[in-house]
Amino acid sequence: MLTITGRPTRLCDGWTRRDVLRIGAIGVGGLTLPGLLRAEQAQGRSNRHKAVIMIYMCGAPSHQDMYDLKMDAPAEIRGEFRPIATNVPGIEICEHLPGLARNMDKCVPLRSVYGSPNGAHDSFICYTGRPVQNQPAGGWPSIGSAVSRLQGPTNPAVPPFVGLSPDTRHPPYGSPGLPGFLGVSHAAFRPSGPSRQDMVLNGIDADRLGDRKQLLTAFDRLRRDIDASGTLEGMDSITRQAFDILTSSRLVDALDVSQEPAEVRERYGKGDAKNYGDGAPRNLEHFLMARRLVEAGARVVTLNFGRWDFHSNNFGGLKNTHLPQFDQGLSALIEDLYERGLADDVTVCAWGEFGRTPRINANGGRDHWPRVGGGLLAGGGMRTGQVIGATDRLGSDIADRPVHFGEVLATLYHNLGIDVEQTTLPDLSGRPQYLVDDGYRPLGEVG
């Protein structure tokens, strides 16, 4: 925790927005994010970079009720939803996803995702492409942490990896940072989670922050006070990042969706900021915030959405609480990226950790089904408007083109400009580790 003595005031938790913006004004003259981006453009500096936005759908959505409806199956498998046509001839999806249907030319539904080893709830495989079992010392890093290590920040005031996922009552639904063997300095920056406790300014007011030498002196004092616990190097990195963030309004502005025009905010909607059961919120402002963050310089932004573990009342839960809001947020994000010229640079991935049982149970729900699940990709300069993979008539087994989680992660790395066949990261013993397991390569269909 970064603590500076003096008047106790908290960034994000306790600081007023006026205080934070006054701090930011020290470094950038009070410019808002749009102003910063316009200024960079006027100076001939490009803020374009490759980025990934990953939406983790807590609890695993039912693939056969979203992108892979089985109308030829018996009623106890088919369910009550009906397909609708999309703007790509031959591709149909659920009737409760009209926004995605009109943007299907920009999307790639995945109908044959596999790789979950045991059907246990955990976002780990979505963020790493690997099962949670048999990890090296320190653990596998998530894609955001790996990218943080490999590519670093595009702007010192914006962390390369931002995790918007708040804590949940079922901790694996949150999976906040997953730095693994890369260490704390490459964990996600979490403006809606515990990282708000990582930078506590117990005592420097905005006027005193204006004296950068005084601030650096305070940080140096902090550094001397830290014991040699093995995290000193990581804490040094966090200290530098804290200073960069505190002396620029860029990150604060990116997180402030109120700066967007009213029509943009209305397109995304608000959703519900409260956690759904033991899962995540259905916070539609996080979709907009993710777009603003990648524009500001973040390379990887992760968020979690809802709780899709409908062992009972599957169809009521989907059509009344989840599908309409998910459809609004995700379709708004995809449209926005295209309209703002970011579609070639930003890849969107939305998925859960496995699929759901073909047969509807006695409580009207679907249970865990690790044999096959689904997902959706968009943007990233990919060849979109196509479906990859297929399941059998009942949606129980893969019938064509199995897609492993590792292949999807390899595709995301590829879209970021990282070669998974050549790139390695040293683990705690110094041994080089590849970013995905051997044999998994980027999806050839979208390249």
Side-chain angles (χ1 to χ4, degrees):
M1 182 173 294
L2 303 182
T3 305
I4 303 174
T5 59
R7 189 185 68 186
T9 316
R10 279 191 173 177
L11 179 67
C12 297
D13 267 344
W15 279 73
T16 65
R17 172 164 170 72
R18 179 177 299 177
D19 286 338
V20 175
L21 291 179
R22 285 179 65 199
I23 295 169
I26 295 168
V28 296
L31 283 174
T32 61
L33 179 64
L36 281 169
L37 299 179
R38 284 194 297 269
E40 288 178 350
Q41 187 176 30
Q43 294 170 12
R45 293 167 54 198
S46 173
N47 62 301
R48 294 186 61 167
H49 62 282
K50 303 299 182 182
V52 164
I53 297 172
M54 183 179 291
I55 300 104
Y56 166 58
M57 304 163 75
C58 304
S62 51
H63 56 288
Q64 62 274 71
D65 295 319
M66 296 184 69
Y67 314 121
D68 192 18
L69 280 71
K70 298 298 180 182
M71 302 314 296
D72 294 332
E76 64 272 17
I77 289 174
R78 181 177 66 241
E80 65 181 64
F81 294 165
R82 296 293 178 265
I84 56 172
T86 69
N87 67 348
V88 177
I91 300 180
E92 295 182 332
I93 61 175
C94 175
E95 61 187 319
H96 299 294
L97 299 171
L100 291 176
R102 70 173 179 265
N103 287 286
M104 190 50 58
D105 60 320
K106 306 174 183 69
C107 301
V108 180
L110 306 174
R111 291 178 174 171
S112 55
V113 179
Y114 77 101
S116 179
N118 55 16
H121 286 305
D122 200 323
S123 59
F124 188 88
I125 196 166
C126 294
Y127 291 143
T128 67
R130 290 170 157 127
V132 73
Q133 295 83 6
N134 302 318
Q135 298 187 57
W140 294 117
S142 71
I143 180 174
S145 297
V147 171
S148 172
R149 169 66 183 267
L150 291 167
Q151 296 184 324
T154 65
N155 184 291
V158 180
F161 178 21
V162 181
L164 297 177
S165 302
D167 290 333
T168 61
R169 286 196 291 113
H170 181 59
Y173 285 160
S175 291
L178 296 174
F181 57 68
L182 296 179
V184 65
S185 63
H186 297 291
F189 177 83
R190 299 183 64 208
S192 58
S195 66
R196 285 190 286 183
Q197 307 296 327
D198 289 344
M199 291 182 294
V200 180
L201 303 179
N202 285 332
I204 286 190
D205 60 23
D207 293 333
R208 290 176 65 199
L209 271 176
D211 185 344
R212 293 189 178 204
K213 287 185 178 179
Q214 185 175 19
L215 182 62
L216 285 171
T217 299
F219 279 142
D220 287 340
R221 187 182 307 118
L222 168 69
R223 185 175 184 271
R224 290 194 300 271
D225 291 342
I226 297 174
D227 61 35
S229 61
T231 62
L232 186 58
E233 181 180 354
M235 291 302 296
D236 283 348
S237 175
I238 292 172
T239 299
R240 290 192 299 270
Q241 185 181 87
F243 176 68
D244 291 331
I245 290 170
L246 290 172
T247 54
S248 170
S249 66
R250 192 181 187 98
L251 179 61
V252 174
D253 285 332
L255 294 168
D256 182 10
V257 299
S258 70
Q259 294 186 16
E260 290 287 334
E263 59 270 21
V264 174
R265 299 198 306 272
E266 290 169 3
R267 177 196 286 186
Y268 279 88
K270 283 185 172 294
D272 191 338
K274 296 179 181 178
N275 288 50
Y276 189 91
D278 64 355
R282 289 159 293 140
N283 191 340
L284 300 184
E285 290 187 335
H286 279 176
F287 289 82
L288 177 54
M289 200 177 291
R291 189 268 287 165
R292 289 178 60 82
L293 283 164
V294 298
E295 272 192 316
R299 296 188 187 275
V300 176
V301 180
T302 59
L303 60 103
N304 53 8
F305 187 89
R307 179 188 178 277
W308 303 78
D309 193 28
F310 290 113
H311 291 277
S312 62
N313 191 28
N314 175 71
F315 299 98
L318 290 177
K319 70 182 179 183
N320 295 326
T321 65
H322 279 60
L323 289 181
Q325 289 179 325
F326 175 77
D327 181 63
Q328 180 178 0
L330 184 53
S331 62
L333 173 61
I334 293 169
E335 290 172 351
D336 210 6
L337 291 174
Y338 273 83
E339 291 171 6
R340 300 176 75 86
L342 297 171
D344 287 344
D345 297 321
V346 182
T347 307
V348 178
C349 176
W351 55 355
E353 60 265 47
F354 46 74
R356 313 298 296 190
T357 52
R359 186 173 297 276
I360 301 164
N361 65 30
N363 296 315
R366 296 190 191 271
D367 301 314
H368 300 184
W369 194 254
R371 278 152 63 174
V372 62
L376 189 81
L377 298 174
M382 296 182 291
R383 289 198 294 266
T384 55
Q386 61 170 320
V387 172
I388 298 180
T391 56
D392 61 14
R393 185 177 70 93
L394 304 181
S396 63
D397 290 285
I398 297 172
D400 182 59
R401 182 52 173 102
V403 175
H404 192 276
F405 283 94
E407 291 179 89
V408 178
L409 266 292
T411 303
L412 300 182
Y413 281 118
H414 172 79
N415 292 355
L416 289 164
I418 298 171
D419 185 348
V420 297
E421 295 189 59
Q422 301 296 324
T423 305
T424 62
L425 292 168
D427 63 18
L428 295 180
S429 67
R431 179 182 177 184
Q433 296 284 356
Y434 284 98
L435 303 177
V436 296
D437 284 338
D438 187 38
Y440 299 125
R441 300 291 178 262
L443 295 167
E445 294 90 338
V446 301

